[in-house]
Amino acid sequence: MWPFGKSTADRVKDAINEQARLKDLGLQVQERGGTVSVTGMVPNERYVGLINAVAGGINGVKNVDTSGVTFEQQVAAPAQPAPQAPA
């Protein structure tokens, strides 16, 4: 495996730390049987797609489990205006 001597989890950690939006989030990475589990807190749920893309692009990763990723804020649908009572 390239780079020599690095585990799949270490290569995923390196890839996450090279990504500007992910590097300072302190995400934890574990690997077992080709499944990489990422845990930690991200600003919003859109970061999960980025984590999947970064981790999934590493040779040896078969699946990415982001169920341990939590969000600081939920991305909500635009608010609907409240119906107004007739005057």
Side-chain angles (χ1 to χ4, degrees):
M1 262 186 257
W2 180 260
F4 298 106
K6 287 208 172 193
S7 68
T8 301
D10 286 339
R11 289 183 287 124
V12 171
K13 286 178 195 175
D14 288 348
I16 285 174
N17 289 328
E18 290 173 9
Q19 215 300 321
R21 293 188 184 261
L22 300 176
K23 69 179 180 178
D24 295 326
L25 298 177
L27 298 173
Q28 301 297 311
V29 178
Q30 295 179 336
E31 184 269 337
R32 183 176 175 103
T35 297
V36 171
S37 299
V38 181
T39 57
M41 184 174 286
V42 297
N44 60 57
E45 62 189 79
R46 287 181 247 168
Y47 279 70
V48 173
L50 181 56
I51 292 168
N52 279 315
V54 170
I58 302 300
N59 189 27
V61 174
K62 297 176 184 170
N63 298 303
V64 180
D65 175 12
T66 56
S67 63
V69 175
T70 57
F71 318 114
E72 291 178 18
Q73 58 180 305
Q74 298 290 329
V75 175
Q80 298 290 331
Q84 300 206 357

